[in-house]
């Protein structure tokens, strides 16, 4: 039996990949892929961006979601970074003269962690040394001598006044630091009763003499404050000398490894100068053996001496490559914690917490563009940091911080040298390029990821090696050659192209995981083609509820769609519906009515504001072709109405324009349309049929309805010839075409579509259309 004109053979409906075309039996024979599959353009752009040292050569990585942009760029950057020298460590040191402004210090990689550890060791040594150093016998003798000298001066002054008192018959008494006078009688002090019995003259004389003695005592002790100051200074000098002698070996051990680092040596020198104050404040007295007290003293010493290690690198670790999952301002730029309530007046560097920009400084930071540009604080601050080349830790505004926030520290800025890689969509890239004047200056290198790669023997092998690299980490079984072939066919369907494979490896790896589940249920050794097919079928069932409900409505007559017979002005069009991750097609009835008039072609969808711009454009194009083709020699006197029946949502796209034109010509000529056919395709003003999207789903949608009602042998779908390369139909459709139960036609022109749908020669239909429109024009002229 000869094939109908314009019909496609079964072989043209799908690319079939044979396991025999793959040079392996399973992925167990392959090495994992060590390069990026099918992204040569992106890789070259990344290489240029990393090699350029001029400011502004940051990367914007763009492509379709699901193509693995993030993982691929991270892998490329990490591979490049592994061979680079590690960047410098950065830390903040306390300034003893101005604690609110810590000093930023750059150190060779690895030295920052070592210095922080050495400071902790130094603090522990201080705790072990003090106050034990003051228990030294030599220190105790010298301290006793200072105390004795002060006591001697005090005693001599008091004894001199005591001798004067004895000459006057008065005794001087000392009770600690308290000095008093009492009268003497018969060599002994008088008690209160004896003193009360004295004559008044004697009492008055005693009081006068006591006042004179008190004046003498006051004069003798005028230098007592000076004696105390001298004793205190002597004791302070002794303590300082003792501290210096005890701390000298500790400071020497601390500074020895950093002889070549002037900043650290200078800091250690200043630390030593302030050490006596610290010991006097925290370590001069022995506060007992309470572990909590000891821990508190240790933390206080660390707050004073320990650095804030912003970032410390492994010397052999290469440059850092980090990903910012939540690019908020504090996460990028760091933060400064307020001191505790018990220490509100003491600010120190350990209150500083670094951000991801600190950790990525000298390397690369990857950020998802949509999250970053949506942050009103982070995006402007990041642009400012990139433009100035400085990284500052600043407080958030009061409204962003949830109220007023006191900035306890003002850390010095540090140089910023980071490659930023924004990962986002193409639409966002072009939006930022147009709307943000700083964007183009800062992101000079777009990294454009392809959404597919060509289907070649080399790419198929690389694809299998890429699948191999996913198998072991995920715990999947190895994949047989037929399983790889099935995954490649699925990738070609995702790409909607017979000679390409989609780069949406995330979707393919999901099917791989679900196919492995089928393998484990069967206890099979490898993942085979039937496991992949079962996984795809299971996914389709899970997402098929809405599609099945629409099919049930058609089968029950709720939605009016005919699959046999003929109707005037009625065409089966094909629409694609998207609901979440579900995408499917369902037939839709396109109807047209005509009459003489002056309104032209009226798009009912547009009139009720359901037709979107592209759909309206398609209707205007078919209106132009109608006038060009049929009414060149007379006015177009026509009032026609087009509608997509029982459609209650927004309609966009021009893929219905071919069907709308055929319905309009049928209504105009009275030639009926075959209802066993459905059509999709757009048209231009010269009658050429143009390719549309979603062609596989559209064919399968009408196929499903015809199968549900029962094949009659003449059912099929008309598609643009330009869509043949996009066909990756399900096996059930290909088999039905092979068995001549279903037909897929490909047309280049409107005339070819008209012949298929009407069963008449296009010239006959066109002659009828011209005749009818001429009659409309004559009628309108007579009426006028």
């Amino acid at each position: 039996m000869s094939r109908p004109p314009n019909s496609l053979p079964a072989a043209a409906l799908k690319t079939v990949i044979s396991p025999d075309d793959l040079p392996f039996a399973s992925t167990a024979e392959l090495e994992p892929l060590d390069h990026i599959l099918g992204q040569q353009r992106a890789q070259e752009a990344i290489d240029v961006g990393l090699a350029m040292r001029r400011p502004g050569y940051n990367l914007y990585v763009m492509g379709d979601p699901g193509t693995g942009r993030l993982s691929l760029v991270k892998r490329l950057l990490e591979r490049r970074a592994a061979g680079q020298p590690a960047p410098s460590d950065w830390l903040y040191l306390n300034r003893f003269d101005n604690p609110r402004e810590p000093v930023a210090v750059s150190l060779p990689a690895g030295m920052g962690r070592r210095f922080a550890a050495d400071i902790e060791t130094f603090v522990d040594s201080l705790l072990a040394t003090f106050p034990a150093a003051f228990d030294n016998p030599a220190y105790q003798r010298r301290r006793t001598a200072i105390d004795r000298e002060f006591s001697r001066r005090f005693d001599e002054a008091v004894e001199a006044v005591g001798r004067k008192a004895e000459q006057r018959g008065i005794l001087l008494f000392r009770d600690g630091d308290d000095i008093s006078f009492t009268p003497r009688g018969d060599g002994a002090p008088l008690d209160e009763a004896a003193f009360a019995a004295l004559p008044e003259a004697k009492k008055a004389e005693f009081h006068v003499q006591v006042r004179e003695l008190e004046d003498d005592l006051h004069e003798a002790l005028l230098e007592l404050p000076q004696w105390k100051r001298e004793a205190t200074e002597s004791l302070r000098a002794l303590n300082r000398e003792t501290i210096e002698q005890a701390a000298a070996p500790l400071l020497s051990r601390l500074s020895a490894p950093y002889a070549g680092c002037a900043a650290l040596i200078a800091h250690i020198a200043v630390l030593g100068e302030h050490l006596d104050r610290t010991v006097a404040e925290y370590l001069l007295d022995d506060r007992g053996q309470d572990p909590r007290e000891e821990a508190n003293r240790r933390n206080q010493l660390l707050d004073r001496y320990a650095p804030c290690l912003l970032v410390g690198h492994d010397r052999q670790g290469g440059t850092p490559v980090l990903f910012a999952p939540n690019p908020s301002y504090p996460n990028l730029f760091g933060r400064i914690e307020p001191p505790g309530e018990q220490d509100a007046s003491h600010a120190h560097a350990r209150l500083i917490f670094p951000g991801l920009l600190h950790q990525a400084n000298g390397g690369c930071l990857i950020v998802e563009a949509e999250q970053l540009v949506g942050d009103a604080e982070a995006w402007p601050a990041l642009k400012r940091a990139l433009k100035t080349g400085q990284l500052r830790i600043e407080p958030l505004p009061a409204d962003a911080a949830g109220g007023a926030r006191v900035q306890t520290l003002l850390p010095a800025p540090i140089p910023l040298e980071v490659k930023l890689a924004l990962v986002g969509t193409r639409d966002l890239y072009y939006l930022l390029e147009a709307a943000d004047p700083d964007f183009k200056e800062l992101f000079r290198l777009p990294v454009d990821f392809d959404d597919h790669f060509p289907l070649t023997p080399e790419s198929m092998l690389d694809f299998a090696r890429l699948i191999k690299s996913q198998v072991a980490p995920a715990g999947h079984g190895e994949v047989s050659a037929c399983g790889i072939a099935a995954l490649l066919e699925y990738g070609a369907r995702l790409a909607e192209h017979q000679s390409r494979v989609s780069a949406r490896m995330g979707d393919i790896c999901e099917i791989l995981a679900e196919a492995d589940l089928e393998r484990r249920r069967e206890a099979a050794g490898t993942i085979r083609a039937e496991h992949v097919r079962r996984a795809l079928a299971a996914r389709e069932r899970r997402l098929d509820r809405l599609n099945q409900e629409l099919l049930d409505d058609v089968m029950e007559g709720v939605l009016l769609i005919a699959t046999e017979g003929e109707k005037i002005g009625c065409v089966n069009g094909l629409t694609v519906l998207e609901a979440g991750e579900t995408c499917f097609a369902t037939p839709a009835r396109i109807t047209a009515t005509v009459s003489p008039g002056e309104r032209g072609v009226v798009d009912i969808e547009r009139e009720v504001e359901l037709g979107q711009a592209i759909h309206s454009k398609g209707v205007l194009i078919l209106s132009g072709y109608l006038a060009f083709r049929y009414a060149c020699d007379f006015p177009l006197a026509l009032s026609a109405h087009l509608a997509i029946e029982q459609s209650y949502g927004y309609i966009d796209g021009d893929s219905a324009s071919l069907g709308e034109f055929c319905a309009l010509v049928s209504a105009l000529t009275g030639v009926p349309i075959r209802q066993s056919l459905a059509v999709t395709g757009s048209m231009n003003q010269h009658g050429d049929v143009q390719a549309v999207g979603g062609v596989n789903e559209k064919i399968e949608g009408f196929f499903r309805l015809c199968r549900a009602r029962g094949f009659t042998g003449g059912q099929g779908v008309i598609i643009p010839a330009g869509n043949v390369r996009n066909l990756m139909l399900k096996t059930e459709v290909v088999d039905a075409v092979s068995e001549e139960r279903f037909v897929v036609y490909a047309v280049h022109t409107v005339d070819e579509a008209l012949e298929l749908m009407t069963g008449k020669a296009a010239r006959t239909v066109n002659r009828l259309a011209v005749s009818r429109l001429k009659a409309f024009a004559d009628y309108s002229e007579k009426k006028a």
Side-chain angles (χ1 to χ4, degrees), residues 775-784:
F776 284 177
D778 292 343
Y779 174 79
S780 297
E781 184 178 356
K782 291 177 182 179
K783 187 176 179 181

Side-chain angles (χ1 to χ4, degrees), residues 622-641:
L622 74 85
S623 300
Y625 178 71
L626 184 72
F628 164 75
R629 183 67 184 272
Y630 300 135
C632 289
D633 301 326
F634 51 85
L636 183 63
L638 171 74
S639 289
H641 294 78

Side-chain angles (χ1 to χ4, degrees), residues 373-585:
V373 300
D375 192 307
E377 301 299 332
W379 177 235
L382 181 59
K383 291 192 296 180
R384 186 165 57 249
L386 292 174
K387 291 173 70 174
T388 62
Q390 289 189 331
L391 181 53
R392 297 177 180 271
I393 302 180
E394 297 175 330
L396 282 171
D399 57 348
R405 183 168 182 172
V406 178
Q407 179 75 341
T408 56
L409 294 175
L410 297 172
I414 66 173
L416 177 62
E417 186 179 352
V418 66
K419 285 290 183 183
L420 192 66
L422 290 187
V423 180
T425 63
R426 293 183 178 89
D427 289 345
L428 181 58
Y429 174 82
Y430 297 123
L431 176 63
L432 291 172
E433 187 180 40
D436 192 332
D438 298 324
F439 179 75
K440 188 63 178 177
E441 178 185 347
L442 296 173
F443 295 89
R444 301 179 186 272
L445 271 175
V447 180
D448 199 351
F449 270 72
D450 289 319
D451 54 8
H452 59 264
F453 56 87
L455 189 60
T456 65
E458 294 78 12
S459 67
M460 288 193 294
L461 181 58
D462 283 347
F463 178 89
R465 293 177 60 195
L466 178 59
I467 295 298
K468 168 69 176 181
S469 67
Q470 301 294 318
V471 165
H476 301 330
E478 299 290 348
V479 187
S480 66
C482 66
I484 292 293
L487 289 172
L488 281 166
E489 290 180 9
Y490 174 65
R493 180 177 172 93
L494 287 178
E496 292 189 289
H497 205 288
Q498 294 182 350
S499 59
R500 297 174 183 169
V501 177
S502 172
R504 289 161 53 189
M505 295 307 300
D507 292 345
I508 294 173
C509 288
E510 286 181 11
I511 292 299
L512 174 66
E514 293 169 20
D516 185 68
L517 176 61
E518 297 292 334
R519 175 195 67 82
R520 286 186 280 114
R521 285 173 174 172
E522 193 180 272
T526 59
I527 300 174
R528 300 191 301 274
E530 56 265 31
H531 300 137
V532 175
R533 286 193 289 267
R534 287 207 296 266
L536 289 170
R539 170 171 288 193
E540 183 178 344
R541 285 193 300 273
R542 292 196 299 271
L543 303 175
D544 195 42
R545 182 190 62 81
L546 186 55
N547 191 10
Q548 184 61 48
E549 287 183 359
L550 290 173
L551 178 61
D552 292 343
D553 286 344
V554 175
M555 295 297 292
E556 294 170 4
V558 177
L559 295 178
L560 302 179
I561 303 291
T563 54
E564 57 184 328
E566 296 179 338
K567 290 181 181 294
I568 296 174
C570 183
V571 169
N572 288 329
L574 296 170
T575 60
V576 174
L577 302 179
E578 293 186 12
E581 59 179 305
T582 306
C583 178
F584 59 90

